[in-house]
């Protein structure tokens, strides 16, 4: 059985000042246009495991139910721990993005998660314990591409929304 997982994040505004004082913030400050700087800051913060916050988590058990939750606390239950332990995780860039953010956010919040299982699932190139990372699989040692590119290449489909359009 498989568990498909995807998370959406946004900048953690409480950490914006710390981000702008850090090295990534110094790189962003080089941009002259304020609008571009804000847009880039938001993008970088949204994809940084330490400066982002989770706004929703989508989970789908193949052949079973779909669940979308806005709270990581909803997954800190014995039932979800069992699901994570039993099922093979399927993600897109989950080894480098989704699972590390779940782990770090869970630790920050003091949640009871199957951390060893999730960390083992983050190992690269096929060594990840029961985790199929589609980004890693489709790149197959070549150049990594965005999900919308893979959708067009392999399925002839265009992604309906990109980036902030999703939230609009």
């Amino acid at each position: 059985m498989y568990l498909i997982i995807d998370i959406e994040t946004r900048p953690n505004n409480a950490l914006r000042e710390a981000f702008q004082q850090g090295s990534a913030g110094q790189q962003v400050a080089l941009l002259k246009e304020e609008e571009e700087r804000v847009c880039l800051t938001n993008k970088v913060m949204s994809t940084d495991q330490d400066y982002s916050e989770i706004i929703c988590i989508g989970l789908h058990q193949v052949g079973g139910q779909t669940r979308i939750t806005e709270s990581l606390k909803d997954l800190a239950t014995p039932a979800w721990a069992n699901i994570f332990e039993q099922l093979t995780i399927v993600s897109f860039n989950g080894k480098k993005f989704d699972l590390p953010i779940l782990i770090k956010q869970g630790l920050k919040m003091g949640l009871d998660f199957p951390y060893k299982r999730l960390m083992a699932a983050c190992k690269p190139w096929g060594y990840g314990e029961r985790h199929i990372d589609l980004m890693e699989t489709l790149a197959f040692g070549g150049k990594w591409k965005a999900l919308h590119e893979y959708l067009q290449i392999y399925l002839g489909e265009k992604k309906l929304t990109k980036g902030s359009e999703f939230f609009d």
Side-chain angles (χ1 to χ4, degrees), residues 142-156:
K143 182 182 175 201
W144 300 62
K145 295 172 184 63
L147 179 59
H148 69 272
E149 291 178 272
Y150 286 124
L151 285 171
Q152 277 197 286
I153 292 167
Y154 292 103
L155 301 175

Side-chain angles (χ1 to χ4, degrees), residues 3 5 84 87-91 99 117-118 121 130-132:
L3 176 68
I5 186 167
F84 280 119
L87 301 181
T88 297
I89 296 169
V90 179
S91 68
L99 295 187
R117 158 69 172 122
L118 294 174
R130 293 186 333 275
H131 183 178
I132 300 167

Side-chain angles (χ1 to χ4, degrees), residues 2 27 48-49 54-55 64 78 80 84 89 101 106 118 127 134:
Y2 300 96
Q27 294 168 3
D48 187 290
Q49 299 166 5
I54 296 170
I55 56 172
W80 275 106
F84 280 119
I89 296 169
I101 287 180
L118 294 174
Y127 295 101
L134 294 172

Side-chain angles (χ1 to χ4, degrees), residues 64-156:
Q65 296 183 333
T66 298
R67 168 113 191 247
I68 297 175
T69 181
E70 295 177 12
S71 175
L72 194 54
K73 290 178 183 176
D74 291 345
L75 303 182
T77 66
W80 275 106
N82 188 46
I83 289 170
F84 280 119
E85 292 287 349
Q86 299 300 316
L87 301 181
T88 297
I89 296 169
V90 179
S91 68
F92 185 82
N93 198 23
K95 290 183 179 183
K96 291 187 176 190
F97 184 71
D98 299 70
L99 295 187
I101 287 180
L102 290 176
I103 292 166
K104 286 185 173 190
Q105 296 286 328
L107 288 169
K108 276 200 266 187
M109 297 170 71
L111 300 177
D112 186 21
F113 267 12
Y115 293 109
K116 286 175 81 172
R117 158 69 172 122
L118 294 174
M119 286 186 227
C122 291
K123 292 179 184 174
W125 300 110
Y127 295 101
E129 181 182 305
R130 293 186 333 275
H131 183 178
I132 300 167
D133 189 326
L134 294 172
M135 185 175 199
E136 184 180 83
T137 302
L138 292 170
F140 196 63
K143 182 182 175 201
W144 300 62
K145 295 172 184 63
L147 179 59
H148 69 272
E149 291 178 272
Y150 286 124
L151 285 171
Q152 277 197 286
I153 292 167
Y154 292 103
L155 301 175

